[in-house]
Amino acid sequence: DAGVTQSPTHLIKTRGQHVTLRCSPISGHKSVSWYQQVLGQGPQFIFQYYEKEERGRGNFPDRFSARQFPNYSSELNVNALLLGDSALYLCASSFARYGEQFFGPGTRLTVL
Amino acid sequence: DQQVKQNSPSLSVQEGRISILNCDYTNSMFDYFLWYKKYPAEGPTFLISISSIKDKNEDGRFTVFLNKSAKHLSLHIVPSQPGDSAVYFCAASVTGNQFYFGTGTSLTVIP
């Protein structure tokens, strides 16, 4: 069975640009969460979507947005990129709104 | 404000011995806790969970202990194997929704 998949695996952008990251959850999972992990830190919660609605938002600026599609895949969008947005972006899915989450391999974003 | 803390950035253990990884939290509302293992260039892999109605949960070589009064949990790995070498994260949540992660402990199991 396929796990959580994310694309692209690596991305290089310059300051001020916009980026879209994509995530496909495990088949049958209806919840997708996004996390940002900077070097030396644990993952920081950005968003949770369940049944295509936002169910939770972490302490991130409005430059960060996300959505979930009818097939439960999800996109994370970041506008006006800053150097500090350079990080590993992780997507996690779970069957229900609550419960253990299964992570994808992440997208490594570098902002120059 | 770091609500979940792993105060040991690294730990080295001899193969076959017990590994004990510790985690402290500050939010008394947390009622669901997870441990994840992470290899380089991979996403975290779920290991074991515990809810606040229990004080111990066991799965093979892995046991998680929860001390609610001390706001402390620990992961025991017995016996430790070289393949256990990875970064371990604890995570906590209220009702298993938004998870707060610690900064991780890098475990090295020496053959």
Side-chain angles (χ1 to χ4, degrees):
Chain A
D1 284 344
V4 177
T5 59
Q6 293 185 243
S7 63
T9 53
H10 294 88
L11 205 50
I12 299 175
K13 292 285 190 178
T14 56
R15 279 179 298 173
Q17 284 190 310
H18 161 270
V19 69
T20 298
L21 311 180
R22 295 178 175 84
C23 172
S24 291
I26 292 171
S27 177
H29 284 195
K30 299 180 180 179
S31 175
V32 169
S33 296
W34 287 95
Y35 292 83
Q36 180 196 66
Q37 186 179 14
V38 300
L39 203 59
Q41 299 293 317
Q44 297 281 315
F45 174 78
I46 309 175
F47 287 110
Q48 187 201 32
Y49 277 76
Y50 177 70
E51 289 286 13
K52 291 150 279 182
E53 289 189 16
E54 183 183 303
R55 303 290 185 163
R57 174 185 281 256
N59 189 23
F60 280 81
D62 292 343
R63 299 184 296 108
F64 289 76
S65 63
R67 55 179 175 167
Q68 187 177 33
F69 298 99
N71 66 354
Y72 301 108
S73 67
S74 177
E75 280 182 356
L76 175 70
N77 295 284
V78 187
N79 291 324
L81 285 167
L82 303 174
L83 296 179
D85 295 330
S86 295
L88 179 69
Y89 288 85
L90 293 162
C91 172
S93 76
S94 57
F95 175 74
R97 183 178 172 185
Y98 306 107
E100 55 253 33
Q101 299 179 344
F102 297 85
F103 283 83
T107 293
R108 172 71 61 186
L109 173 65
T110 302
V111 182
L112 302 176
Chain B
D1 183 29
Q2 192 75 21
Q3 297 192 53
V4 178
K5 297 178 184 178
Q6 294 176 256
N7 292 318
S8 298
S10 62
L11 176 67
S12 290
V13 171
Q14 228 28 65
E15 181 179 3
R17 299 289 192 103
I18 184 171
S19 295
I20 300 176
L21 296 98
N22 294 304
C23 180
D24 297 293
Y25 60 95
T26 57
N27 188 343
S28 58
M29 298 296 292
F30 287 148
D31 60 3
Y32 188 60
F33 305 88
L34 306 175
W35 281 95
Y36 284 89
K37 177 168 75 171
K38 188 178 186 301
Y39 294 117
E42 293 183 12
T45 303
F46 169 73
L47 266 180
I48 192 168
S49 64
I50 189 167
S51 76
S52 59
I53 61 172
K54 293 185 168 184
D55 53 19
K56 176 183 173 181
N57 189 26
E58 215 170 329
D59 184 2
R61 296 186 298 115
F62 301 92
T63 303
V64 55
F65 295 91
L66 176 62
N67 183 333
K68 290 184 289 292
S69 60
K71 297 192 184 68
H72 177 84
L73 68 158
S74 61
L75 175 68
H76 292 209
I77 307 174
V78 183
S80 301
Q81 299 174 353
D84 296 329
S85 297
V87 178
Y88 289 78
F89 292 97
C90 67
S93 75
V94 178
T95 68
N97 187 1
Q98 175 178 339
F99 284 96
Y100 295 85
F101 281 76
T103 52
T105 295
S106 178
L107 173 66
T108 301
V109 180
I110 304 163

